[in-house]
Amino acid sequence: MVDQANSLREIVKREKEIKENQKLKIIIEDEKERKELASRIRAVYDDTIIISMPAMDNYLIPLENLSSIKVIINGNDGDISFFAKILERKFAPVPILVITHPNHFRGINVSKNRSSRVVAITSGKGGVGKTNISVNLAIALSQMGKRIVVFDADLGLANIDVALGLKPKYSVADLIKNNKKMRDIIYDGPMGIKLIAAGSGADELLNMKDWELNRFIMGLSELEDMADIILIDTGAGISNKVTNFLFASDEIIIVTTPEPTSITDSYALIKVIVRNEKNKDIKLLINRAENEKEAQKTADKLRLVCDRFLNIKLNVIGYILEDKNISKAIKEQKALVVNYPNSEASQGIRKIAQYLVESRNQKEDNNYSNLNGFIRRLRSLFS
Ligand SMILES: Nc1ncnc2c1ncn2[C@@H]1O[C@H](COP(=O)(O)OP(=O)(O)O)[C@@H](O)[C@H]1O
Ligand SMILES: [Mg+2]
């Protein structure tokens, strides 16, 4: 641990030596052999480095996604070496690898859990329960000790503030147009959750100019200190506006009901997501099932077509039963898990919250999924 801290300190001190056009070596070692590949740095970002596809004896060696490599850069003061993870491979227009920046490991190792996880909640078809689920999942997670911010990016009419009977003073529009900071526009919800309203800023969000996007993105980076998990309640469907948020998020929860139209629309959306990124972390949530058996059947249907036609394994994170208490809570403008904590739907939501937290614990070293990555992807998608 001390060694690691020292070498990280060394990297931070000599960070300037990690720059474009630097030659580097990649060492791959297993029990049997040690390979040394040659590459060159093409671009350096805060959290990633882009390098040319490594080669040996003039042959390109396309390394596996997510594999760990040792990188050695010839610095002025001797070699700088660090471990990195391969996040992405691209072959066109030129073959490159995107790897983690060593500083990024620093953030993870030194202050664990400092980076927020970004989870989008979406659906193929509207009216399937996204807003309800976002709010109640947020509260359930908050009750488990997580700091939660919910970003209401659904441009529909049934907004989170209405569902909870709250009147936010500011929205994203004030952040973009009126020089407000994120901490000014964020408002308090039940049980310690924090909320951000898209409000009338919704239209602006979709047609942002460069400087507006910059403000928005700088605002988002303020969230890093406030949230363990950022939940985004997106609109339904496959328009650009929605998919930009989806493509940028680390994880996507797709909400579907057992109705055939909801199932086919979910499949259409999954297809769009997978076409953009084959290995996206897509989680399926079944809402409004009559019973566990119906939820299972719905999940199986989608799992089967995704497996057969898209060649992906869908993660099912749980189900929520059809429950009259949901519409009671809506009429009372209170959250279901607050007013009806023992209802069947609340129990389903708590199980899903538990699953979400546990699925993360198993992937603790998954250090590229965080707010920084989200912001970087969002920037490139909108520009
Ligand atoms: N599990 C459920 N049981 C009963 N009604 C539900 C359930 N989930 C959602 N609803 C109903 O569906 C309606 C739409 O939910 P909402 O969260 O606004 O969907 P979306 O955000 O996807 O448009 C709500 O008014 C609510 O009454
Ligand atoms: Mg909604």
Side-chain angles (χ1 to χ4, degrees), residues 127-132 287-288 320-323 326-327 330:
V128 295
K130 289 181 297 297
T131 299
N132 257 291
N287 189 26
R288 307 196 75 159
I320 301 168
L321 295 181
E322 173 75 27
D323 190 334
I326 289 194
S327 84
I330 290 173

Side-chain angles (χ1 to χ4, degrees), residues 126-132 134 152 154-160 233-236:
V128 295
K130 289 181 297 297
T131 299
N132 257 291
S134 302
D152 184 358
D154 190 348
L155 316 177
L157 296 174
N159 288 323
I160 290 180
D233 178 10
T234 74

Side-chain angles (χ1 to χ4, degrees), residues 10 20 41 58 69 124 209 228 251 326 357:
E10 181 73 2
E20 271 169 45
I41 295 180
N58 289 328
I69 51 173
K209 300 185 186 70
D228 298 317
E251 299 157 68
I326 289 194
V357 169

